[in-house]
Amino acid sequence: PRRAFFSLWVMFEVLFATALLVSIVVWAVILPKLNAVEASGDFDPVQMALRKKMFWGRFGLCAHILNVVFMVGDGVLNRMSLVRAHAPFALLFGCIYVFFSWGLFHRNQFWHYEFLDYRKSDAVVPYLALPAVLLAAFLLSSKFLRLTSKFLNVLKAGTASSDKGQKSTPRGRSSEISGGRSPLVSPSKPRASALAATTPKRRRSKSIGMPKKKRGASPAP
């Protein structure tokens, strides 16, 4: 069980960091560049249609938007954290994904991310920058998750204090509302002190009959 928990923890750390990184790269780098290429008119229509379907289709929206929402919700609700000592696992995941992209290209002749195309003359730049970007994404994700958890805790504490303040009503205000009576006493039921004042005390009835015998008295002859 301990190894299984550690494996799930490391998987969450790696997937959380890569989900944020991929979403930022897609929406801030790839899609603006794709729109610029389409506006210039110098593009392959088939490749452009495939890329639009990949990023704007249901799969693309789920992979680059809902994935981040689910990961952030999972991390905040389960109070997860990212440990810096586990950052090499993110580098290992990046290396595995590079080999996966190469195999996928040789099968489909299509690059999902053009900066991974090793046939370009400047392909060495993104490959050298990839480890640094993964490490930076891991550290930023750790900071982001910590700040998000702290913000939600502060918001929860503020909501709880406001609810508590609404439940506790001032004493003067409560007496004004209840017409001078305490809100805990029902107007239909009189107080115990009033009942005690109006109820007459029972008098002790004098016993009529033979006088009581005194202790140690001898019986009459």
Side-chain angles (χ1 to χ4, degrees):
R2 187 175 181 181
R3 292 182 179 180
F5 175 75
F6 180 75
S7 301
L8 291 176
W9 185 16
V10 171
M11 287 176 61
F12 170 80
E13 291 176 318
V14 172
L15 294 178
F16 187 89
T18 53
L20 288 179
L21 175 62
V22 169
S23 297
I24 292 173
V25 169
V26 167
W27 294 103
V29 178
I30 295 179
L31 286 179
K33 183 179 179 181
L34 196 65
N35 294 332
V37 171
E38 186 179 10
S40 64
D42 186 14
F43 61 89
D44 186 3
V46 178
Q47 295 288 334
M48 182 61 68
L50 289 175
R51 293 189 180 280
K52 280 189 174 182
K53 184 179 180 180
M54 181 180 65
F55 292 117
W56 292 106
R58 295 179 181 177
F59 175 78
L61 295 177
C62 291
H64 303 129
I65 295 180
L66 293 181
N67 189 23
V68 178
V69 174
F70 290 151
M71 295 301 294
V72 172
D74 189 8
V76 171
L77 294 178
N78 294 315
R79 300 177 182 269
M80 301 294 289
S81 61
L82 275 70
V83 182
R84 294 182 179 181
H86 298 166
F89 291 103
L91 297 178
L92 180 62
F93 179 82
C95 295
I96 294 174
Y97 185 79
V98 166
F99 288 111
F100 171 76
S101 299
W102 290 352
L104 197 63
F105 170 74
H106 284 285
R107 180 181 177 181
N108 300 330
Q109 296 298 314
F110 178 75
W111 290 101
H112 286 82
Y113 303 105
E114 290 185 353
F115 59 85
L116 294 177
D117 190 358
Y118 55 83
R119 300 173 300 176
K120 295 182 178 180
S121 59
D122 57 348
V124 65
V125 176
Y127 277 99
L128 291 177
L130 186 60
V133 172
L134 286 173
L135 287 177
F138 191 90
L139 298 178
L140 291 177
S141 300
S142 176
K143 189 70 174 179
F144 172 77
L145 187 59
R146 193 181 303 113
L147 291 177
T148 305
S149 301
K150 186 176 180 181
F151 172 75
L152 291 179
N153 290 334
V154 171
L155 187 63
K156 184 178 179 180
T159 306
S161 62
S162 63
D163 293 343
K164 187 177 180 180
Q166 291 178 359
K167 289 181 180 179
S168 59
T169 309
R171 188 173 182 180
R173 182 60 179 168
S174 63
S175 62
E176 293 176 4
I177 294 173
S178 59
R181 300 186 182 91
S182 175
L184 299 178
V185 179
S186 176
S188 61
K189 296 182 180 180
R191 295 183 180 180
S193 60
L195 286 174
T198 55
T199 304
K201 296 182 179 179
R202 294 183 179 180
R203 295 181 179 180
R204 295 181 179 179
S205 59
K206 294 182 178 181
S207 59
I208 302 174
M210 297 296 292
K212 295 182 178 180
K213 291 183 178 182
K214 296 182 179 181
R215 293 183 179 181
S218 59

